[in-house]
Each structure stands twice: as C-alpha cells, then as structure tokens.
Amino acid sequence: MDRQRVYFSLANRTYYTNPYAGPWNFELNVDRQALDVFEKIFQQMQMLEIANAWRAQLPYIQYHLDRENDEIDLRLKKIYALVHEYGDADTKAFVEQLPYFNKRA
C-alpha cells in the first residue's frame, strides 16, 4: 500500500495533508486503511461523548463508574497505538513514555 504523510491532531480529532492547514501534534506516514481506522475511532469517540453528555445530567452515577468514560479511554489508547505504529522515532519515544503504554518484549 502507498503511504502518505499526514499531520495528525489528537485534540481536534483530525488529520491534515498540509502541515499549514491547522494545528497538529504528530507527523505520520500512513496508508488509506489506517486513515479509515482513525476516522472510525474518532466517530466512536464522538458518539460516546454525546452519551456522556446525557449521563452527566444524572448526578447519582459517579464519574469513575461510568462505562462510557472507560470506552473513550480505550479508544484513546487505540489512537496512541496507531500513532506509535505510523510515527517516526521521536513519536514512538513519546508514546512509549506515556503511563499506559505497555511495551511487549
């Protein structure tokens, strides 16, 4: 598969093909299938956040017991795993120092 360089913004949950198109955190070399995966995970996170907005109206459900928050965290870990896979050496080093990164031997 042909890879293309994209500029990935985790905060904005998007990527750019032009580094001047918007703010970005990571420069990645990805194939089209990986971009589809990023987009799917972003969509899932958006839906979970909408569910969280409704849940926030129920004060008797504590935040740390909220399944949707755990699902968002899981998707964030998947995003960082993809960033690690398609990033350069500096990007990989950054992801590896994150507290939830578990490098397998």
Side-chain angles (χ1 to χ4, degrees), residues 4-56:
Q4 66 180 11
R5 180 165 294 165
V6 297
Y7 303 89
F8 181 78
S9 172
L10 185 58
N12 295 331
R13 294 190 184 141
T14 192
Y15 58 88
Y16 310 101
T17 55
N18 180 335
Y20 304 106
W24 52 275
N25 308 101
F26 305 107
E27 182 178 327
L28 306 176
N29 289 311
V30 299
D31 55 40
R32 183 65 227 171
Q33 289 178 328
L35 290 177
D36 292 342
V37 172
F38 276 117
E39 290 173 5
K40 183 70 172 176
I41 294 172
F42 289 153
Q43 290 172 358
Q44 291 171 353
M45 290 174 78
Q46 179 70 26
M47 295 306 294
L48 288 165
E49 287 180 347
I50 291 170
N52 272 353
W54 286 108
R55 197 265 338 134

Side-chain angles (χ1 to χ4, degrees), residues 70-82:
D70 294 337
E71 292 294 324
I72 289 173
D73 291 345
L74 176 65
R75 279 154 183 86
L76 186 59
K77 290 176 186 178
K78 289 179 181 183
I79 291 287
Y80 274 117
L82 288 168

